[in-house]
């Protein structure tokens, strides 16, 4: 493998991951419109249908860790990527809601499989002394896709482009990503004797404390991303909440450019602890906006837009550090298990909560409660466990 980080395989897997997530995020804001206009679905039904994808992906990931550890990783990754890409063809011709739901379930399984595989392959094809940097850049492709994917999807929808053409664009994006994935040269996996099936083959037991911390931290993160627009409206803050997500993506993207270097020097737990300080302060400031609004509108707006930058930097540095921590806790033969535990611990709450963003704002009595109490309940717990 050598000591070189930037190789053809690494560039290809970065491209494959970006195109995969871009195709995914392109459809995220469009699918509720598609379900409502094509199948006349209610908001509750839309949330239920969309949750089929996230729940199937969530249930798949722990088993995929065992699969990637027991067999050659690249063939599984390529097969899952192919299935994920092929489902877009089915979406184009799905005329019945039942067929669309089945496709969403299969799509979620493929997504859960390919995301664990991609993260594991990055570790395999990069030198260990550049692991934090490699994972940081790899995660940056997710951030870029998340920043421009939904915006592109909404632009295409607002341009009156048909849903079939939007599905075709997602399909083309993933086809290009699949080609890039084929060009990744993964090292040959040395055959090892597979131990009997046990709990630690599906969950990295050494990573459970860190997993609990990440799980708790995902609660305020999910509340913020889902309900911050409602929170701003309820406290009377007339601002463009779209900039909130843009600034978060900017902070997270910039921080990932240098985050891996600190991790590669061995400051893994110190980096995580420092970032918890930043994140906790950011959530505290966001909860204070409701009170600050009554005293100074200018300061309230300033704090409101400062928070996403702090969150972006905090999470942008923390994620590659956590990923490296999980990999370091596991032996080489359990890299797949380590990766699946890392991903699952973050998405366990996030995948459950995201589809409910469609309906909860209409039923919750007080969004400020969600955007303040959850932070104080989760972040200190996460901080105490991590340290």
């Amino acid at each position: 493998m050598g000591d070189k980080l930037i190789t053809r395989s690494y560039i290809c897997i970065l491209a494959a991951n970006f195109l995969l997530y871009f195709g995914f995020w392109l459809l995220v804001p469009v699918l509720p419109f598609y379900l409502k206009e094509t199948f006349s679905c209610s908001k509750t039904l839309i949330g239920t249908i969309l949750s089929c994808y996230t729940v199937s992906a969530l249930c798949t990931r722990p088993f995929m860790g065992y699969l990637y550890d027991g067999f050659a990783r690249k063939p599984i990754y390529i097969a899952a990527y192919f299935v994920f890409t092929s489902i877009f063809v089915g979406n184009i011709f799905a005329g019945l809601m039942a067929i669309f739901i089945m496709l969403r379930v299969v799509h979620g399984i493929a997504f859960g499989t390919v995301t664990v595989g991609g993260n594991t392959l990055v570790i395999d094809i990069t030198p260990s002394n550049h692991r934090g940097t490699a994972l940081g850049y790899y995660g940056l492709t997710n951030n870029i896709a998340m920043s421009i994917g939904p915006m592109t999807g909404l632009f295409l929808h607002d341009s009156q482009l048909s849903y079939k053409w939007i599905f075709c664009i997602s399909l083309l994006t993933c086809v290009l990503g699949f080609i890039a994935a084929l060009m990744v040269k993964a090292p040959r996996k040395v055959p090892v004797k597979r131990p009997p099936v046990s709990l630690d083959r599906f969950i990295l037991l050494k990573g459970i404390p860190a997993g609990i911390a990440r799980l708790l931290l995902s609660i305020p993160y999910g509340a913020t991303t889902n309900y911050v627009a409602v929170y701003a409206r309820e406290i009377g803050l007339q601002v463009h909440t779209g900039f909130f997500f843009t600034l978060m993506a900017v902070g997270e993207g910039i921080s990932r450019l240098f985050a891996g270097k600190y991790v590669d020097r061995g400051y893994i737990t110190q980096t995580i602890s420092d970032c918890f300080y930043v994140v906790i302060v950011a959530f505290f400031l966001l909860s204070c906006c409701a009170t600050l609004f009554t005293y100074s509108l200018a300061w309230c707006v300033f704090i409101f837009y400062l928070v996403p930058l702090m969150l972006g930097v905090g999470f942008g540095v923390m994620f590659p550090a956590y990923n490296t921590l999980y990999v370091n806790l596991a032996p080489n033969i359990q890299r797949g298990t380590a990766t699946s535990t890392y991903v699952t611990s973050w998405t366990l709450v996030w995948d459950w909560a995201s589809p409910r963003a469609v309906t909860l704002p209409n039923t919750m009595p007080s969004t400020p409660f969600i955007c303040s109490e959850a932070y104080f309940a989760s972040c200190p717990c996460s901080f105490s466990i991590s340290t």
Side-chain angles (χ1 to χ4, degrees):
M1 181 189 302
D3 196 46
K4 194 176 181 181
L5 172 61
I6 306 300
T7 62
R8 177 181 175 182
S9 292
Y10 183 62
I11 293 174
C12 286
I13 202 166
L14 291 182
N17 191 60
F18 167 76
L19 293 167
L20 173 86
Y21 274 94
F22 181 80
F24 165 75
W25 283 108
L26 181 72
L27 293 181
V28 166
V30 175
L31 285 178
F33 295 105
Y34 171 76
L35 291 171
K36 183 178 180 180
E37 296 174 14
T38 305
F39 301 113
S40 301
C41 296
S42 64
K43 287 185 177 182
T44 302
L45 185 57
I46 290 173
T48 303
I49 294 174
L50 295 181
S51 69
C52 293
Y53 181 97
T54 54
V55 170
S56 60
L58 177 64
C59 295
T60 299
R61 285 175 175 136
F63 299 98
M64 290 306 105
Y66 176 77
L67 198 64
Y68 278 112
D69 286 336
F71 302 93
R73 289 171 180 142
K74 185 181 176 182
I76 302 173
Y77 173 71
I78 293 298
Y81 208 125
F82 177 79
V83 173
F84 181 86
T85 303
S86 302
I87 294 298
F88 288 110
V89 179
N91 287 337
I92 295 172
F93 299 103
L96 298 175
M97 187 167 62
I99 296 177
F100 182 83
I101 294 174
M102 288 189 294
L103 290 174
R104 290 293 291 174
V105 172
V106 177
H107 218 177
I109 294 173
F111 183 74
T113 305
V114 74
T115 49
V116 172
N119 206 306
T120 307
L121 280 176
V122 169
I123 300 168
D124 287 344
I125 65 176
T126 53
S128 58
N129 60 326
H130 292 302
R131 185 170 292 160
T133 304
L135 292 172
Y137 291 158
Y138 184 78
L140 180 60
T141 60
N142 299 357
N143 299 129
I144 297 174
M146 186 174 65
S147 301
I148 64 177
M151 178 178 62
T152 304
L154 288 174
F155 173 78
L156 295 174
H157 178 264
D158 294 341
S159 300
Q160 305 301 318
L161 195 66
S162 69
Y163 290 113
K164 287 188 176 181
W165 277 110
I166 297 177
F167 285 135
C168 284
I169 293 173
S170 291
L171 172 63
L172 176 61
T173 300
C174 290
V175 167
L176 294 175
F178 179 72
I179 295 173
L182 289 173
M183 299 173 66
V184 176
K185 292 184 178 180
R188 183 176 178 272
K189 192 174 185 296
V190 179
V192 295
K193 183 180 179 181
R194 287 190 291 275
V197 177
S198 59
L199 181 61
D200 65 343
R201 304 306 298 168
F202 302 97
I203 301 174
L204 185 66
L205 298 182
K206 291 182 179 179
I208 288 179
I212 295 174
R214 278 172 52 82
L215 187 148
L216 292 173
L217 189 63
S218 70
I219 297 174
Y221 182 89
T224 301
T225 52
N226 281 329
Y227 309 118
V228 69
V230 181
Y231 173 61
R233 185 175 69 240
E234 288 196 1
I235 66 175
L237 190 60
Q238 302 296 323
V239 293
H240 203 308
T241 52
F243 287 128
F244 187 96
F245 300 100
T246 302
L247 291 172
M248 183 185 290
V250 169
E252 194 166 341
I254 293 175
S255 63
R256 283 183 184 266
L257 295 176
F258 60 84
K261 297 180 181 180
Y262 294 101
V263 176
D264 291 336
R265 294 172 185 170
Y267 303 113
I268 299 177
T269 55
Q270 183 63 43
T271 299
I272 294 173
S273 298
D274 292 343
C275 288
F276 263 109
Y277 283 114
V278 177
V279 169
I280 291 172
V281 171
F283 284 141
F284 175 78
L285 290 175
L286 182 61
S287 67
C288 290
C289 284
T291 303
L292 189 60
F293 178 78
T294 60
Y295 293 97
S296 174
L297 176 61
W299 274 105
C300 184
V301 172
F302 173 76
I303 295 297
F304 185 80
Y305 284 137
L306 175 65
V307 165
L309 278 175
M310 295 176 64
L311 291 177
V313 172
F315 286 121
V317 177
M318 190 187 301
F319 286 167
Y322 256 122
N323 201 344
T324 305
L325 175 65
Y326 274 87
V327 175
N328 290 350
L329 288 173
N332 290 342
I333 61 173
Q334 281 191 287
R335 284 178 175 175
T337 303
T339 300
S340 66
T341 306
Y342 163 77
V343 176
T344 303
S345 64
W346 179 253
T347 58
L348 185 62
V349 174
W350 173 245
D351 283 353
W352 178 87
S354 293
R356 286 152 180 80
V358 178
T359 56
L360 279 182
N362 295 327
T363 59
M364 296 299 293
S366 176
T367 304
F369 172 79
I370 300 174
C371 293
S372 58
E373 296 298 328
Y375 303 156
F376 298 113
S378 346
C379 292
C381 296
S382 302
F383 182 72
S384 61
I385 292 174
S386 70
T387 52

